[in-house]
Amino acid sequence: MLKLGVLASGRGSNFQSIIDEIDAGNLKASIRLLITDNAGAYAIERAQKHSIEYLCLSPGDFSSKDAFYSRIADEMAKRDVELVVLAGFMRIVRKPLIEAYPHRIMNIHPALLPAFPGLHSQKQALDYGVRISGCTVHFVDEGMDTGPIIIQAAVPVSPVDTEDSLSERILRLEHKIYPHAIRLYSEGRLSVEGQTVKIINYNMSDDFIINPPLNG
Ligand code: GRF
């Protein structure tokens, strides 16, 4: 069973979707630890409710950013975590964690990368006037949302969309593709080749390149 560690800064709805898929028996994994950088994160309540161990670590309490990430890597390793999952973690991960978990850190981003990396990507997409947006699960490297892409899902953008309505439509898909990407990893079906990820024994159901109707 795959041992997961989660990093989250806020609401934690993606964290919840992973918990739910594990509980439903659709993802053979266990969450060994949640680490948050925000003592007010709602993700903490979710961890408490599901008896998941959590730690709150503040970067300000460390001598440097690298020291903060070394500590995260140590805490994960102590619990035999095999895959680190970023679920709304609002910081750029630095070398000590990336080197401890090479191609073993995933992130979800609410846009079709490489378009609209960074913050407020749904607003960036609206301001740019794209007709299709979506979400991306990728492995984490030292850049901002630049690591190898694992899976993506697309949604249409309506002329009357607001940042909130588009975010919500994308979020519903995030909750589907993130657990699926973790499942592919847990089955040993992801192979990183340079900037690309190959899905081993690929079949169409591994992809979420779908456009749910705007009212769907
Ligand atoms: C999601 O939109 C995710 O794509 C982005 O941050 C948001 C986190 O939401 N990285 P939640 O905390 O998982 O509800």
Side-chain angles (χ1 to χ4, degrees), residues 107-119:
N107 181 42
I108 186 146
H109 182 76
L112 292 177
L113 292 172
F116 314 127
L119 293 175

Side-chain angles (χ1 to χ4, degrees), residues 64-119:
S64 64
K65 283 187 184 156
D66 279 1
F68 173 66
Y69 286 103
S70 294
R71 173 73 182 279
I72 292 176
D74 288 349
E75 298 292 350
M76 294 291 177
K78 247 193 248 170
R79 287 149 185 97
D80 298 322
V81 164
E82 296 163 296
L83 179 71
V84 175
V85 171
L86 309 189
F89 185 62
M90 304 306 285
R91 292 176 188 277
I92 306 222
V93 172
R94 291 174 66 115
K95 240 193 191 123
L97 182 58
I98 291 171
E99 286 182 348
Y101 282 89
H103 293 148
R104 294 198 292 146
I105 308 171
M106 278 186 195
N107 181 42
I108 186 146
H109 182 76
L112 292 177
L113 292 172
F116 314 127
L119 293 175

